[in-house]
Structures are given as structure tokens and as C-alpha cells.
């Protein structure tokens, strides 16, 4: 095998991608990891363009019109990407990620269709391995595309977050998979006249399957879904690499696919659920509903507080932990929360943030929001690091989180979330819980934390409540200092 400059460049780009993933595994090195990934991609694109222009590369040779179209495509894509990255709010990052995944899926499907059309145009019997590559790539790409589009619409709120649980949905999914396999076999045996039509039909069937799979998943499982789609997009890119004979695309896709699969496993483990349960169980169909009291059971009472009471508790505390959830992201209250903790730290209070692995709608969603608000990395603690500290904490402030602080996960074997690791906030001296109302979380489970004696409920819009709390804490701190 002759080693060329292209091979060496692809190897360097692959190493940069590996180092990028390593850097992205920690907040402190995330910027460096992002930079290394960017450099790797720039190198990959530049070398690939050079191979296309190279006159001695007959397989990739392109004419002036082709090069012009390619340059225009790269330019338009670069401009759109830059505008989206600059304008998107951190709270909309999950939707952006879902859309980007859909692009990868669509690209893989289009590459497969184009490869099949070229094969038919060239004539001759199809190679078995290449035929499998094409249909597998289109299958994965189509599922990734439509699944990502549905995830985007769910995250954006365009369609409801409740799972679509159809009768015999598992049989429907199996039928769609077998239909794609049948079409692939029939296309191989049917000759040139049916290869492209059957592939297009298979693409349509796989697209329906992708949409149905994500529609059947509740909004509370969106972090895992986004991670899964990330994995799908990687395998779709790898399949496209096989179809194009591009080693770097194969390696890069495998890195993305495997890392996404590992992240999905970690998140499922954090919820004490299997990946099969997330994808096929239709979990979370009661999310957002106020739990009804059981027959004969008296209505439960909660202890309410107001802004002044919450401010007094915070100012009197020596150790405070903030637990952010999706409600904080929706309210975009992270900056006001950061200002509150800064005021407390100036008074000598120890203030930290506790992050649950599946908080929010995206892996690392809360970490991104807190980083945007310039919260120190040292103050942000993962669940395993901070759970033992709640017993020594004076006040815990829970903002827009529900299922991840539900004690039923530990002490109620009949609860749907039993066994799920949660932040044990109830062990603190006081818990201030900010919620709009008493609706359950996405798991559809009532939260006993709301009724405990040491829990105080602060009802209202999270952003308005946090802003008022900031003003109250600031005013009292100034009075005490005077």
C-alpha cells in the first residue's frame, strides 16, 4: 500500500478528533477540545478539496463547473453555520444540535442514493458488499434525519412532548425494518430497472420508522434521545465513508457513533433504565399533569414561602447549593442565579451548584447554561461529587427541577422512577423549591419533596421569582452592611 500525503493528513485529522473528544470530556479543557476538533475538520476539508483538484486522482477528478458548485456549497454552508452559531441562544442549543444531526442523516441518505444512481448508470451487476453499504447507509441516514426533525419539533414545543403510544407499535416498528430488508434484497435481485426505485421506497419506509421511534419517546427522555441521535449521525457518516471510499469519514463517523452510544449508556444508567426502555417503553405520558389524590386519601399540604422569607433564609445560610433544572433554562434565569450566589459568596457563604446527568434537554445542558453565566467550574459539582454534602447544607434552592430530586426514586418500590439515582436535597436543613405549580415532572410522578416539613414552595415564574429574589437579597445585604 502506497502511503500518500492524503493518508498522512487523514491520520493527523483523526488524531485531532480523538484529542478533541478527550478535551471535551472536562469543562476545563472543553475550549481546547473544541479548537482541536475545528483544526481537524479544517485539515480534513482542505486535504479532500486538494484531492479533488489533483489531476492525478482520476477517481476524484472534477471539472470547473463541479468545483464551482462545490465551492459555492461550502461557502453557503459556512455562512449559515456561522450565523446560526452566533445567533442561537443557549436555551435553544438542544434544538440546534437536533437540526445538525438531521443534516448528517440527510447527507448520508443522499450519498447513498447518488451512489446507487451512479452504479445503475455505469451498468453491470452490483457488488454485494457495496449494495449492503448503500442500503445500510440510507437506512441509518433516513432514520437519523426524520428522528432528528421530530426531536427538534419536540424540543421547540411545536409538537407535544408526550409520547405517541400507538397500538401494536412494536409490531409496526418490526414490520418497517423487515420492509427495508425486503426492499434491499429485492433491489439486488431485480436488476437495474428497480434498484433506484426500491432504494427510494426503502428511504421512505426508514423515514417513517425514524419519525415513529422518536414520536413514541416522552419529552423527559430528550437528553438520551439527543445523545442517541448523535450516535446515529456518526454511524450514518461512517456508512457514507464506506460508500465514498473515504477512510477519514469512516473513522470520524465511528468516533462520533461510539462516543454517542457510550454517553447514551451513561445517561440511561443515571436514570436506572435500559436503552431499550427509553426507546420503546413510551415513558412519560403523564408529564405535566397535576397528580390526583388517591381515593380516600386527604389532600396533601405544602409549606409556602415568599420572596422575603427565601431571601432571609439565604442570607442566614453558611452553605448553599443550587439545583438547576429545565425550568431554569426555559426562564433563562441563570444570570440572575449567578448574581445571587456571587452576593452570598461575598458574605462568606459557600455556594455551589449540583448537576444531575439528565437535567435539561441535552447532555450537559445545565453545564452549558452555567458556563454562559460565567459560573466558576469549581463551583459546579456532579451528582456523585455532591450528594454526600447535602446533610451539611443549610439551604438548597431547586429551580425548575422535579424528577431528579424526587425521594420516591429511593424509598418507593412502586414508583416508575424507583432505583433512579437522584440528588438527595431533602437531607439539607431547608429546601426552597421554585415551581409554577404542583404539576408532576415528565415522569408523571408526584414528588413527596414538596410536602416535607423542611421544604418551602415558592410558586411563580422562575425568571420573575429569581429576579425578585436577587433584588431582595441585594437590598438586605446592603442594609446589613450599612
Amino acid at each position: 500500500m502506497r502511503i500518500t500525503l492524503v493518508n498522512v493528513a487523514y491520520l493527523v485529522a483523526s488524531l485531532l478528533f480523538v484529542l478533541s473528544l478527550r478535551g471535551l470530556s472536562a469543562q476545563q479543557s472543553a475550549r481546547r477540545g473544541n479548537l482541536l476538533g475545528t483544526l481537524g475538520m479544517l485539515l480534513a476539508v482542505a486535504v479532500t478539496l486538494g484531492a479533488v483538484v489533483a489531476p492525478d486522482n482520476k477517481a476524484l477528478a472534477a471539472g470547473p463547473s463541479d468545483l464551482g458548485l462545490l465551492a459555492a456549497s461550502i461557502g453557503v454552508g459556512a455562512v449559515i453555520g456561522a450565523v446560526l452559531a452566533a445567533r442561537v441562544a443557549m436555551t435553544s442549543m438542544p434544538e440546534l444540535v437536533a437540526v445538525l444531526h438531521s443534516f448528517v442523516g440527510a447527507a448520508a441518505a443522499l450519498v447513498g442514493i447518488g451512489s446507487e444512481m451512479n452504479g445503475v448508470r455505469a451498468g453491470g451487476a452490483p457488488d454485494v458488499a457495496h449494495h449492503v453499504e448503500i442500503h445500510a447507509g440510507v437506512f441509518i441516514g433516513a432514520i437519523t434525519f426524520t428522528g432528528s426533525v421530530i426531536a427538534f419539533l419536540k424540543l421547540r414545543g411545536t409538537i407535544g412532548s408526550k409520547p405517541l403510544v400507538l397500538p401494536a407499535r412494536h409490531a409496526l416498528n418490526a414490520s418497517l425494518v423487515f420492509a427495508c430488508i425486503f426492499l434491499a434484497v429485492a433491489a439486488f435481485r431485480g436488476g437495474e430497472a428497480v434498484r433506484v426505485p426500491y432504494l427510494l421506497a426503502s428511504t421512505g419506509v426508514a423515514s417513517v420508522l425514524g419519525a415513529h421511534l422518536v414520536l413514541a419517546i416522552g419529552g423527559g427522555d430528550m437528553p438520551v434521545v439527543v445523545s442517541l441521535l448523535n450516535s446515529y449521525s456518526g454511524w450514518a457518516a461512517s456508512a457514507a465513508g464506506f460508500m465514498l471510499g473515504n477512510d477519514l469519514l469512516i473513522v470520524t463517523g465511528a468516533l462520533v457513533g461510539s462516543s454517542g452510544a457510550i454517553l447514551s449508556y451513561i445517561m440511561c444508567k443515571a436514570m436506572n433504565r435500559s436503552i431499550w426502555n427509553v426507546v420503546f417503553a413510551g415513558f412519560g405520558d403523564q408529564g405535566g399533569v397535576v397528580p390526583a389524590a388517591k381515593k380516600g386519601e386527604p389532600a396533601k399540604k405544602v409549606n409556602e414561602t415568599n420572596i422575603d422569607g427565601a431571601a432571609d433564609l439565604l442570607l442566614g445560610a453558611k452553605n448553599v447549593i443550587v439545583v438547576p433544572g429545565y425550568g431554569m433554562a426555559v426562564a433563562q434565569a441563570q444570570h440572575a442565579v449567578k448574581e445571587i450566589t456571587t452576593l452570598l459568596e461575598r458574605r462568606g457563604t459557600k455556594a455551589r451548584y449540583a448537576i444531575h446527568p439528565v437535567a435539561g434537554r441535552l447532555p450537559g445542558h445545565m453545564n452549558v447554561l452555567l458556563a454562559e453565566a460565567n459560573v466558576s467550574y469549581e463551583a459546579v459539582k456532579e451528582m456523585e461529587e455532591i450528594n454526600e454534602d447535602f446533610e451539611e447544607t443549610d439551604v438548597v434552592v431547586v429551580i425548575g427541577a422535579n424528577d431528579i430530586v424526587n425521594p420516591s426514586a429511593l424509598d418507593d418500590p412502586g414508583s416508575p422512577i424507583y432505583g433512579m439515582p437522584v440528588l438527595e436535597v431533602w437531607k439539607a436543613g431547608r429546601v426552597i423549591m421554585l415551581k409554577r405549580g404542583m404539576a408532576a415532572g415528565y415522569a408523571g410522578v408526584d414528588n413527596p419533596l414538596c410536602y416535607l416539613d423542611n421544604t418551602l414552595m415558592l410558586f411563580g415564574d422562575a425568571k420573575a421569582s429569581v429576579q425578585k429574589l436577587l433584588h431582595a437579597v441585594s437590598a438586605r445585604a446592603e442594609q446589613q452592611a450599612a
Side-chain angles (χ1 to χ4, degrees):
M1 177 180 177
R2 186 169 63 93
I3 299 177
T4 65
L5 182 60
V6 173
N7 298 134
V8 175
Y10 279 178
L11 177 60
V12 173
S14 299
L15 291 175
L16 287 172
F17 292 147
V18 173
L19 293 174
S20 173
L21 289 175
R22 182 179 180 181
L24 292 171
S25 63
Q27 292 181 342
Q28 293 84 346
S29 57
R31 289 181 182 272
R32 183 177 71 250
N34 196 27
L35 176 61
L36 291 173
T38 302
L39 292 175
M41 186 56 67
L42 285 173
L43 176 61
V45 172
V47 172
T48 302
L49 287 175
V52 172
V53 175
D56 59 336
N57 195 328
K58 304 300 182 183
L60 294 175
S65 61
D66 296 324
L67 293 175
L69 180 61
L70 182 60
S73 300
I74 293 175
V76 171
V79 170
I80 293 175
V83 171
L84 286 176
R87 296 182 59 182
V88 67
M90 283 297 175
T91 51
S92 301
M93 194 59 69
E95 296 100 296
L96 177 62
V97 171
V99 167
L100 295 178
H101 289 162
S102 73
F103 292 164
V104 178
L110 291 173
V111 165
I113 294 171
S115 181
E116 185 76 313
M117 293 174 68
N118 285 337
V120 171
R121 189 180 298 113
D127 177 75
V128 176
H130 190 59
H131 184 77
V132 172
E133 290 170 1
I134 289 174
H135 278 265
V138 169
F139 178 77
I140 300 172
I143 288 177
T144 304
F145 172 67
T146 55
S148 299
V149 170
I150 296 300
F152 165 77
L153 295 175
K154 281 197 170 192
L155 290 166
R156 192 176 179 83
T158 305
I159 60 178
S161 62
K162 292 183 179 180
L164 176 65
V165 182
L166 298 176
R169 64 186 186 279
H170 300 314
L172 174 60
N173 290 333
S175 299
L176 293 173
V177 172
F178 284 122
C180 290
I181 296 174
F182 170 80
L183 287 168
V185 174
F188 182 77
R189 293 182 174 179
E192 296 180 0
V194 298
R195 279 165 57 187
V196 173
Y198 280 13
L199 180 60
L200 294 175
S202 180
T203 305
V205 173
S207 299
V208 173
L209 175 62
H212 180 244
L213 284 173
V214 179
L215 282 170
I217 301 175
D221 288 330
M222 277 299 115
V224 181
V225 172
V226 171
S227 178
L228 267 179
L229 291 170
N230 178 58
S231 180
Y232 292 170
S233 68
W235 300 124
S238 190
F242 277 106
M243 289 183 280
L244 296 173
N246 188 301
D247 296 335
L248 180 60
L249 196 52
I250 295 172
V251 172
T252 305
L255 286 172
V256 174
S258 57
S259 60
I262 293 170
L263 179 58
S264 301
Y265 169 77
I266 292 173
M267 299 181 74
C268 287
K269 186 178 179 181
M271 298 189 298
N272 195 39
R273 293 166 62 195
S274 68
I275 193 68
W276 305 107
N277 179 268
V278 171
V279 176
F280 299 114
F283 189 79
D285 59 341
Q286 295 298 318
V289 179
V290 178
K294 296 180 181 179
K295 189 174 182 180
E297 181 180 290
K300 298 177 182 178
K301 295 183 179 180
V302 300
N303 300 312
E304 290 191 47
T305 189
N306 54 29
I307 297 296
D308 293 333
D312 290 337
L313 281 174
L314 289 174
L315 289 171
K318 295 297 182 183
N319 196 333
V320 174
I321 295 178
V322 177
V323 178
Y326 184 61
M328 189 190 77
V330 173
Q332 300 185 37
Q334 64 270 22
H335 295 280
V337 173
K338 167 62 167 56
E339 292 185 51
I340 291 174
T341 56
T342 299
L343 285 173
L344 295 176
E345 287 171 342
R346 290 173 182 169
R347 295 171 52 85
T349 303
K350 185 178 181 181
R352 292 174 293 171
Y353 297 79
I355 306 298
H356 193 279
V358 294
R361 294 294 175 269
L362 183 75
H365 195 180
M366 296 300 105
N367 302 78
V368 171
L369 290 175
L370 295 178
E372 184 198 20
N374 293 320
V375 173
S376 170
Y377 294 143
E378 287 73 22
V380 180
K381 303 296 180 182
E382 299 298 328
M383 178 175 62
E384 295 81 5
E385 299 178 83
I386 204 168
N387 244 352
E388 295 181 355
D389 296 349
F390 283 114
E391 291 183 0
E392 302 173 357
T393 302
D394 299 315
V395 178
V396 173
V397 183
V398 180
I399 307 176
N402 199 16
D403 295 331
I404 62 174
V405 294
N406 193 329
S408 297
L410 301 183
D411 56 26
D412 183 5
S415 172
I417 62 172
Y418 181 69
M420 169 182 168
V422 293
L423 292 164
E424 299 172 11
V425 300
W426 56 87
K427 294 181 179 180
R430 280 289 188 180
V431 178
I432 303 174
M433 198 168 185
L434 279 69
K435 283 174 64 82
R436 282 182 175 272
M438 290 302 296
Y442 275 107
V445 182
D446 194 17
N447 193 344
L449 175 66
C450 302
Y451 313 110
L452 296 180
D453 293 336
N454 65 330
T455 299
L456 298 173
M457 303 299 297
L458 183 58
F459 293 113
D461 175 75
K463 186 173 185 178
S465 296
V466 171
Q467 288 287 357
K468 293 176 182 177
L469 187 58
L470 171 61
H471 293 318
V473 170
S474 179
R476 281 168 168 72
E478 290 178 359
Q479 291 175 0
Q480 293 177 8

